Amino acid sequence: MRVRRAADVSQDELSVRASVHRTEISQLERGLRVARIDTLIKLAASLDATAEELLAGINWEPGESRRGKFRESDG
């Protein structure tokens, strides 16, 4: 959402540019869905951004005796 807003692009416009349903974009932005690699590439190219920029602030926390999980970084 951060990159999309900085590019001044609506979810509807991004959905057309990236050939991804607007509902999926909403779910991705709200953390309800995890993007496939091809979707990540489409979104990055449609926003003139890198995949790294879209993933900034997302970290993987490895599990020891429990499953790992994604979390937002503090910075």
Side-chain angles (χ1 to χ4, degrees), residues 3-67:
V3 176
R4 179 182 60 78
R5 286 188 177 166
D8 195 30
V9 175
S10 69
Q11 287 182 348
D12 288 327
E13 185 176 349
L14 180 57
S15 73
V16 171
R17 288 183 186 184
S19 297
V20 175
H21 198 279
R22 191 207 55 79
T23 303
E24 183 175 357
I25 292 171
S26 173
Q27 291 173 338
L28 291 168
E29 290 184 351
R30 292 182 292 141
L32 301 176
R33 188 175 188 149
V34 176
R36 295 181 345 189
I37 190 70
D38 61 320
T39 302
L40 179 66
I41 292 167
K42 288 181 193 180
L43 294 172
S46 298
L47 292 168
D48 196 27
T50 65
E52 184 178 5
E53 288 174 298
L54 295 181
L55 297 172
I58 300 173
N59 296 304
W60 178 256
E61 192 172 285
E64 292 176 17
S65 61
R66 295 185 180 162
R67 289 185 169 181

